[in-house]
Amino acid sequence: MIYNWQQEGWPEFKYQLNDDIENSLIKIRESASKLEGYFSAMTEERKQQSLSVIMTEEAVSTSAIEGEFMSRIDVMSSIMHQLDRTVPDYSKDIRAKGVSQMMMSVRENYDVQLSKHMLFNWHEMLMLGNNKVHAGVWRFQNEPMQIISGSIGKEKIHFEAPASVQVADEMGRFIHWFNESKPVRLKDQLNAPVRSAVAHLYFESIHPFEDGNGRIGRAISEKAIAEGLGYTPFISLSKIIESNKAKYYDELMRAQQTLEVSEWVMYFVQLIVEAFDYSFEIINWTVKKWQFFEKYDKELNSRQLKVISKMCETSVFEGGMSAKKYMSIARTSKATATRDLQQLTEMGVLMPKGGGRSVRYELKLGE
């Protein structure tokens, strides 16, 4: 198989912007403006809370795409600390600290020119606690960098990146292209999601690091979007990718076989549309949560507030609430848990699903 970087014309990617893509680009610009307006109207406290939710989704998801799973609570703690250094970081997972540091660096340096030193710093942050990977340097091993699936003896090679000896030159050219293509004119700014799509494909095709290429590649994509908007948007691109990562890998590997990437651009731009849509869902849910606590803060006892707060740590409490979970979180008896749950149901705070011993309660913050 001949990959894109082996083809004549590399790295000149070609694509056509059809009506669907053009309409998506307009929608992204409108959504970005609307979302920024929402955040501008918030108090600083609520803005920080909302941003921590979005950034936590991004950190957890970008790691999960690569098969690395971290505690959402650890990640949230590190994110909160990065947003406000007066807030203690209670995270016990050094990986959570590393990915949080990288994400904050991406957000704070969105308008700074990309450089190998910036990428090396991101890689070092991302590899915190991983002593098996050479962090902060381009890969240098003689073995080919291959994306492989299947058991031993039945391996299938999906992609092979340029040899390590080529990486420094390839990345020098990539960094130059990225900085030179930074949008200046209004039309270029509107097309920033297209540049984001190409940047991600270009970077992933070089695969310059020993590990962490996917996570840094997605960070580069978000930097490209931010450079087009003139600010870092409140979105989680990785959350959308992670929801159907099989399709993401299929589209990426298909795009790595050609320099005509119109289909890849269409796919990736739609991901960005969905990322903005998801941000609106998070904001709406967060606003409902604030309104709920303002309404019921004086009516609920300390046990009920503790349990509802726990359920609100993520927008979906896995498996719903049960009497057994309630007893564990509130550290109370079965009789008290049952009585509290019944009261919350009567108030319309919880909605029961099922019956008998299998009954579960879902949080209902309002329509």
Side-chain angles (χ1 to χ4, degrees):
M1 182 181 295
I2 304 231
Y3 302 110
N4 52 9
W5 58 271
Q6 297 171 313
Q7 296 176 24
E8 183 178 353
W10 164 265
E12 296 296 326
F13 296 97
K14 298 178 175 61
Y15 50 84
Q16 296 293 324
L17 302 184
N18 60 26
D19 289 345
D20 288 339
I21 295 177
E22 296 282 6
N23 290 336
S24 292
L25 294 175
I26 293 171
K27 182 177 180 181
I28 289 170
R29 174 62 66 167
E30 292 174 346
S31 295
S33 178
K34 184 178 179 182
L35 192 62
E36 183 67 10
Y38 280 4
F39 273 89
S40 297
M42 291 181 183
T43 64
E44 281 303 313
E45 180 183 4
R46 291 188 171 184
K47 190 182 297 184
Q48 293 285 74
Q49 290 174 357
S50 299
L51 181 55
S52 69
V53 172
I54 295 291
M55 291 182 68
T56 298
E57 292 286 358
E58 178 64 17
V60 170
S61 296
T62 197
S63 300
I65 292 169
E66 309 303 329
E68 187 171 294
F69 301 97
M70 291 183 286
S71 161
R72 188 177 297 272
I73 294 174
D74 279 343
V75 173
M76 175 72 82
S77 178
S78 289
I79 292 289
M80 294 287 284
H81 176 69
Q82 289 297 318
L83 291 171
D84 183 353
R85 291 308 178 97
T86 65
V87 176
D89 184 353
Y90 296 109
S91 172
K92 298 177 182 178
D93 189 342
I94 194 169
R95 299 172 305 163
K97 297 178 188 293
V99 71
S100 300
Q101 289 172 14
M102 186 198 77
M103 289 181 57
M104 185 57 65
S105 178
V106 174
R107 175 166 288 275
E108 291 178 342
N109 295 293
Y110 79 90
D111 203 32
V112 178
Q113 278 206 331
L114 190 68
S115 68
K116 73 174 184 179
H117 301 294
M118 180 182 291
L119 293 172
F120 287 172
N121 285 337
W122 290 355
H123 194 244
E124 287 175 346
M125 294 171 187
L126 197 58
M127 293 297 121
L128 275 178
N130 189 338
N131 298 321
K132 297 180 180 180
V133 173
H134 296 87
V137 294
W138 304 135
R139 58 180 165 87
F140 54 84
Q141 293 80 3
N142 292 325
E143 298 83 5
M145 172 59 78
Q146 297 175 329
I147 308 300
I148 301 174
S149 67
S151 57
I152 296 175
K154 297 182 180 180
E155 298 93 340
K156 179 181 178 180
I157 299 175
H158 298 279
F159 179 72
E160 182 172 323
S164 295
V165 294
Q166 299 172 246
V167 168
D169 287 342
E170 290 288 359
M171 282 305 298
R173 186 158 52 167
F174 169 80
I175 291 169
H176 177 77
W177 167 83
F178 189 88
N179 291 328
E180 288 299 307
S181 63
K182 182 177 180 178
V184 178
R185 299 175 301 170
L186 181 60
K187 181 174 177 57
D188 294 332
Q189 293 171 352
L190 185 64
N191 289 345
V194 175
R195 175 171 171 262
S196 174
V198 174
H200 187 70
L201 173 61
Y202 190 171
F203 179 86
E204 296 304 324
S205 297
I206 300 172
H207 235 67
F209 292 112
E210 189 178 339
D211 190 20
N213 293 287
R215 283 163 283 183
I216 291 180
R218 289 184 286 277
I220 289 172
S221 295
E222 295 205 2
K223 177 174 171 60
I225 297 169
E227 287 183 346
L229 292 173
Y231 56 88
T232 307
F234 298 88
I235 62 170
S236 173
L237 188 58
S238 294
K239 176 65 178 180
I240 306 304
I241 293 173
E242 200 255 336
S243 67
N244 192 352
K245 65 180 181 181
K247 181 172 176 59
Y248 164 70
Y249 282 121
D250 286 345
E251 294 288 348
L252 179 60
M253 290 172 187
R254 184 160 50 248
Q256 288 173 326
Q257 298 173 23
T258 178
L259 292 175
E260 210 300 313
V261 295
S262 297
E263 290 187 7
W264 167 258
V265 169
M266 182 179 297
Y267 163 75
F268 203 86
V269 168
Q270 183 57 35
L271 287 179
I272 298 172
V273 170
E274 293 175 21
F276 276 100
D277 289 344
Y278 180 73
S279 288
F280 284 117
E281 292 179 17
I282 289 292
I283 294 303
N284 289 335
W285 176 83
T286 305
V287 168
K288 287 179 181 179
K289 182 179 70 172
W290 293 330
Q291 292 173 339
F292 169 84
F293 281 108
E294 287 175 354
K295 179 178 180 180
Y296 290 106
D297 183 53
K298 303 299 183 184
E299 297 182 38
L300 303 182
N301 61 46
S302 59
R303 297 183 305 276
Q304 292 169 325
L305 285 171
K306 183 178 182 180
V307 170
I308 297 300
S309 295
K310 185 70 174 178
M311 295 180 76
C312 285
E313 284 180 357
T314 59
S315 54
V316 178
F317 189 79
E318 186 176 358
M321 180 56 62
S322 65
K324 187 175 181 179
K325 286 182 181 179
Y326 194 102
M327 291 165 60
S328 175
I329 295 170
R331 298 184 180 276
T332 190
S333 67
K334 183 176 181 180
T336 300
T338 301
R339 187 167 58 251
D340 282 355
L341 287 168
Q342 180 62 33
Q343 182 186 6
L344 290 169
T345 301
E346 292 172 356
M347 293 172 66
V349 175
L350 296 180
M351 180 180 295
K353 298 287 185 180
R357 294 182 178 179
S358 64
V359 65
R360 293 292 184 273
Y361 299 86
E362 294 181 358
L363 189 60
K364 186 179 179 183
L365 293 183
E367 302 301 328

